[in-house]
Amino acid sequence: MDTPIYRFKELASTNDEAMRLAQGGAPAFTAVVADSQSSGRGRNGRAWVSPGGTGLYASLVLHPAVRAGDIPLLTLLCGLSAAEAIRETTALDARIKWPNDILVNMRKVAGILCEASIPADGDPIAIAGLGVNVNTLPRDLPERPLFPATSLVAESGHCHEREEILSKWIERTRHWTRVLESGGAREVVAAWNALDALRGAGIRVTQAGGPEVNGTEAGADAEGRLLVLAGDGALHRILAGDVKLNV
């Protein structure tokens, strides 16, 4: 099935443009791609550095026919699709750090940002944004204290085709969305858990408005929440938070 793809030399944010198109009636899996972004962003309003000519910056329009309780799984689903796309097109061992970071060799190579809108007179709209450091040179990457930024070229030693990664991400997102719409939430989570980068690691999670949780990372549950097994045996289920390794 052909996917409408809107291409731009530069945008402030592919997510913003995709949301504008979705609110104007764009069908599911419409894609917006920019060679660079002037105001790319990640979770919690963090900036995503988007230099031209080297990275993949894309957003997909989703009209998920799922129950409200499954909406949080879209972030995991799109991260799973991104990891699979990178693995299949580059042969790199891409894995996922909950909820939305893609790691190669424990370095961050890509991120996912899902944003939703629920119109008063219509079905939910979700926008899945993907940023991948594809052929970005190490000197052009931002500094990060934990899970340092990297790129596909830095990890593999050779350049990669952005279009190939985009095509595979759309394909895998379409597949997993259909699985979720068919009642396959557990199947989505199981596939995500199989690529969990931090399973069994000691972590601490900072929650907005909640206590810091320390323990062993135990994967994601059927609702997409992060499971953390504390030292006292308590199992915490984290809906939102920042994850760091205990080192």
Side-chain angles (χ1 to χ4, degrees):
M1 182 183 298
D2 290 337
T3 300
I5 300 179
Y6 293 84
R7 302 180 185 278
F8 298 86
K9 183 66 175 176
E10 181 178 340
L11 284 174
S13 161
T14 59
N15 264 30
D16 289 348
E17 179 64 16
M19 182 63 79
R20 186 188 70 79
L21 290 171
Q23 292 173 339
F29 303 106
T30 295
V32 174
V33 184
D35 189 58
S36 67
Q37 296 180 114
S38 59
S39 301
R41 62 181 183 274
R43 288 176 62 237
N44 301 321
R46 298 186 180 105
W48 181 271
V49 178
S50 310
T54 62
L56 172 61
Y57 319 114
S59 296
L60 282 180
V61 173
L62 303 176
H63 295 291
V66 299
R67 64 184 184 89
D70 284 341
I71 293 293
L73 290 176
L74 290 174
T75 294
L76 270 63
L77 182 157
C78 293
L80 169 62
S81 300
E84 289 182 336
I86 291 170
R87 293 170 72 90
E88 292 184 31
T89 58
T90 70
L92 291 168
D93 185 21
R95 294 185 174 271
I96 315 163
K97 170 182 166 287
W98 186 91
N100 68 338
D101 290 345
I102 310 300
L103 307 181
V104 174
N105 297 323
M106 298 301 285
R107 300 181 180 93
K108 183 173 178 177
V109 74
I112 295 287
L113 177 63
C114 284
E115 298 177 304
S117 173
I118 303 178
D121 58 349
D123 295 327
I125 296 170
I127 304 300
L130 172 66
V132 186
N133 299 324
V134 181
N135 297 319
T136 314
L137 296 177
R139 66 171 181 263
D140 297 325
L141 293 166
E143 292 187 4
R144 291 169 50 91
L146 292 174
F147 307 105
T150 189
S151 63
L152 301 182
V153 68
E155 297 301 318
S156 68
H158 58 87
C159 292
H160 298 276
E161 292 293 332
R162 292 180 290 172
E163 285 297 314
E164 186 179 7
I165 299 167
L166 172 65
S167 177
K168 183 59 67 173
W169 180 56
I170 294 172
E171 174 193 314
R172 298 312 295 162
T173 302
R174 189 188 297 273
H175 165 76
W176 285 116
T177 299
R178 287 172 175 166
V179 171
L180 186 63
E181 290 176 337
S182 299
R186 291 186 181 277
E187 187 177 345
V188 171
V189 173
W192 188 96
N193 279 324
L195 295 181
D196 183 358
L198 301 185
R199 189 67 173 265
I203 63 169
R204 65 185 186 276
V205 185
T206 304
Q207 304 179 87
E212 183 174 86
V213 175
N214 284 268
T216 301
E217 204 262 39
D221 69 9
E223 296 179 8
R225 297 173 296 186
L226 181 67
L227 301 175
V228 182
L229 182 62
D232 61 3
L235 185 64
H236 297 270
R237 299 175 185 270
I238 310 297
L239 180 61
D242 287 327
V243 177
K244 296 181 180 179
L245 285 172
N246 277 331
V247 293

